[in-house]
């Protein structure tokens, strides 16, 4: 391993020159100066020689390693990442070499990006939201922002969810700044049901979980209507929501089919006008997360085990959990407004 080269300080150089020029005690030879100050003879000679030629002991301007890139080229690298946040440091290095003719390492690219506030984060998994639906989400949030808690306590929240025996990670990394996680270009868009073993439909209110049913066949509008018929009114009665409860569902096509709307009308069920692509507004998504954590406390080996644990976790969900989730509706609306209808942290 090579030795690290150390540089003499300006103060050390000054002492060398003072000893060489001499004072009251007279001048010293180069060898004497080397022995007294414990500095190599060749170093002493070079400092004195440079002093003779330039009359200076300071560092020369422009010393040190030259920067590979100009400030303008660095700005171009940052601009490239803003447009292509999923590019790896190797990709950026190659693109930079093509643009500037300068060969550089991924490490240098990372250092430039880090100095400009960028770090390599895992892309958050969030549903893709179209501009049209962003407007609808924003409209809903503004209209329901000031609804009192009594309104939300009358809502029966519903959803389907698929629970996996085995899952995949699917991680993607992006270059972004600390507070830019929810920008569309920095997200890892997902679709709702990414594979699994047991599909369930469930509903709940602030007072606790309602009915839950396993979906054993392909879900269509007619299967869905049967689930609603068997579970919604009985759940409202169980949870003491009264006859004027409000039913919430998402905009899945089978939920909004003409025959489904006719069914709601016949059954005199009031349905909340819900914006599309809005799982972050629906507190049941976090209830599913709670259920997921409960059933994963020990390994699962088969579908029957998944179903047994789901039933147990659902029935034993404490009211404190469901109340907290429904009480978050104002915060969820605020988050959508602040995001201008885009993805939120929920």
């Amino acid at each position: 391993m090579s030795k690290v080269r150390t540089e003499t300080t300006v103060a050390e150089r000054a002492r060398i020159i003072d000893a060489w020029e001499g004072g009251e005690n007279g001048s010293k030879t180069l060898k004497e100066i080397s022995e007294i100050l414990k500095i190599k003879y060749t170093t002493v000679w070079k400092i004195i020689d440079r002093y003779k030629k330039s009359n200076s002991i300071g560092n020369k301007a422009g010393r040190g390693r030259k920067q590979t890139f100009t400030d303008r080229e660095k700005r171009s690298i940052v601009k490239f990442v803003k447009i292509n946040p999923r590019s790896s440091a190797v990709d950026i290095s190659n693109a930079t070499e093509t643009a500037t003719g300068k060969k550089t390492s991924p490490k240098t690219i990372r250092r430039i990006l880090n100095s400009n506030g960028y770090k390599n984060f895992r892309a958050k998994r969030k549903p893709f939201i179209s501009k049209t639906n962003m407007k609808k989400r924003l409209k809903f949030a503004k209209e329901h922002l000031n609804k009192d808690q009594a309104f939300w306590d009358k809502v029966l929240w519903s959803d389907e969810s698929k629970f996996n025996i085995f899952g995949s990670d699917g991680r993607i990394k992006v270059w972004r700044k600390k507070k830019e996680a929810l920008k569309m270009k920095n997200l890892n868009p997902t679709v709702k049901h990414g594979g699994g073993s047991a599909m369930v439909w469930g509903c709940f209110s602030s007072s606790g979980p309602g009915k839950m049913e396993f979906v054993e066949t392909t879900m269509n509008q007619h299967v869905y209507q049967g689930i609603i018929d068997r579970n919604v009114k009985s759940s409202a009665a169980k949870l003491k929501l009264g006859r004027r409860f409000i039913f919430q569902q998402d905009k899945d096509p089978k939920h909004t089919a003409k025959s489904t709307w006719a069914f709601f009308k016949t059954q005199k069920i009031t349905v909340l006008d819900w914006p599309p692509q809005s799982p972050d507004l629906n507190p049941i998504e976090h209830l599913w997360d709670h259920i997921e954590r409960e059933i994963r406390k020990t390994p699962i080996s088969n579908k029957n085990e998944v179903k047994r644990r789901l039933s147990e976790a659902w029935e034993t969900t404490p009211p404190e959990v469901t109340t907290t989730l429904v009480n978050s509706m104002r915060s969820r609306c605020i988050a959508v407004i602040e995001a201008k209808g885009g993805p939120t942290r929920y």
Side-chain angles (χ1 to χ4, degrees):
M1 185 176 177
S2 60
K3 292 183 180 180
V4 177
R5 180 177 177 271
T6 57
E7 186 178 71
T8 56
T9 65
V10 173
E12 287 173 327
R13 296 171 211 160
R15 287 197 292 272
I16 290 171
I17 298 303
D18 287 343
W20 175 69
E21 288 184 331
E24 295 177 358
N25 298 322
S27 63
K28 305 289 185 184
T29 65
L30 273 61
K31 185 177 181 181
E32 289 172 333
I33 295 171
S34 174
E35 291 172 351
I36 294 169
L37 299 180
K38 293 182 171 49
I39 296 175
K40 285 184 179 180
Y41 179 90
T42 53
T43 302
V44 172
W45 180 85
K46 287 178 181 178
I47 291 170
I48 293 173
D49 184 59
R50 180 183 158 202
Y51 179 73
K52 289 177 182 177
K53 294 175 180 177
S54 65
N55 197 35
S56 172
I57 57 173
N59 291 329
K60 290 181 180 179
R63 292 172 73 251
R65 184 177 178 179
K66 299 293 186 292
Q67 291 189 4
T68 305
F69 298 107
T70 64
D71 289 343
R72 184 176 181 179
E73 288 168 337
K74 290 178 183 178
R75 289 194 296 271
S76 295
I77 292 170
V78 172
K79 185 178 179 180
F80 179 87
V81 165
K82 285 181 179 178
I83 298 171
N84 307 285
R86 294 191 180 196
S87 300
S88 68
V90 173
D91 293 336
I92 302 166
S93 176
N94 292 337
T96 302
E97 183 180 352
T98 301
T100 65
K102 296 179 180 178
K103 193 173 183 66
T104 187
S105 68
K107 185 177 180 180
T108 300
I109 295 296
R110 293 188 194 99
R111 187 165 55 247
I112 292 170
L113 293 174
N114 290 163
S115 67
N116 281 274
Y118 285 85
K119 291 187 177 181
N120 202 219
F121 293 91
R122 176 183 169 183
K124 289 184 177 293
R125 294 173 65 84
K126 290 286 182 178
F128 171 77
I129 303 174
S130 68
K131 290 184 178 180
T132 299
N133 289 337
M134 286 173 68
K135 291 178 181 178
K136 291 178 180 179
R137 283 163 50 83
L138 185 59
K139 181 175 181 288
F140 176 91
K142 288 180 176 179
E143 289 176 350
H144 291 79
L145 176 63
N146 294 317
K147 294 286 186 183
D148 59 25
Q149 196 57 44
F151 171 84
W152 297 117
D153 289 344
K154 283 288 184 181
V155 176
L156 184 66
W157 307 90
S158 75
D159 192 26
E160 301 94 35
S161 188
K162 208 166 193 179
F163 290 85
N164 301 334
I165 292 177
F166 306 106
S168 62
D169 193 0
R171 291 181 296 175
I172 290 178
K173 286 196 168 186
V174 295
W175 290 96
R176 63 169 175 82
K177 293 186 177 181
K178 274 190 177 180
K179 296 183 179 180
E180 294 182 348
L182 295 173
K183 284 193 173 182
M184 292 298 295
K185 65 182 181 180
N186 295 330
L187 297 175
N188 182 11
T190 64
V191 292
K192 191 169 184 182
H193 302 303
S197 297
M199 172 73 82
V200 297
W201 176 94
C203 63
F204 86 105
S205 75
S206 63
S207 56
K211 296 289 189 69
M212 185 188 77
E213 182 173 321
F214 290 101
V215 182
E216 304 291 358
T217 185
T218 302
M219 178 80 88
N220 58 33
Q221 57 191 335
H222 305 296
V223 173
Y224 181 68
Q225 290 161 28
I227 290 172
I228 299 302
D229 189 39
R230 290 188 293 273
N231 296 286
V232 169
K233 286 188 175 180
S234 57
S235 293
K238 172 189 174 184
L239 299 170
K240 297 181 172 57
L241 298 182
R243 296 171 61 186
R244 296 185 178 181
F245 71 91
I246 303 168
F247 180 65
Q248 182 276 337
Q249 61 174 6
D250 61 27
K251 291 289 188 182
D252 188 288
K254 55 185 169 284
H255 300 174
T256 57
K258 287 183 179 180
S259 63
T260 303
W261 282 116
F263 174 82
F264 284 131
K265 188 175 182 180
T266 301
Q267 294 295 315
K268 296 181 180 179
I269 297 174
T270 302
V271 180
L272 183 63
D273 186 15
W274 193 251
Q277 295 181 306
S278 298
D280 54 343
L281 273 170
N282 192 350
I284 200 171
E285 296 293 341
H286 284 84
L287 180 56
W288 293 134
D289 290 342
H290 167 78
I291 299 297
E292 179 81 29
R293 288 192 296 272
E294 291 298 307
I295 70 171
R296 300 295 176 187
K297 288 182 177 178
T298 55
I300 298 173
S301 59
N302 56 61
K303 183 176 179 178
N304 288 334
E305 181 69 10
V306 171
K307 293 173 71 174
R308 184 185 66 80
R309 292 196 194 181
L310 283 170
S311 297
E312 289 178 358
W314 183 266
E315 292 298 331
T316 57
T317 299
E320 293 80 11
V321 171
T322 54
T323 299
T324 300
L325 290 176
V326 176
N327 286 350
S328 69
M329 282 309 299
R330 177 174 170 78
S331 296
R332 292 170 189 267
C333 288
I334 290 173
V336 170
I337 292 170
E338 289 178 345
K340 297 179 181 179
T344 70
R345 63 186 178 87
Y346 286 99

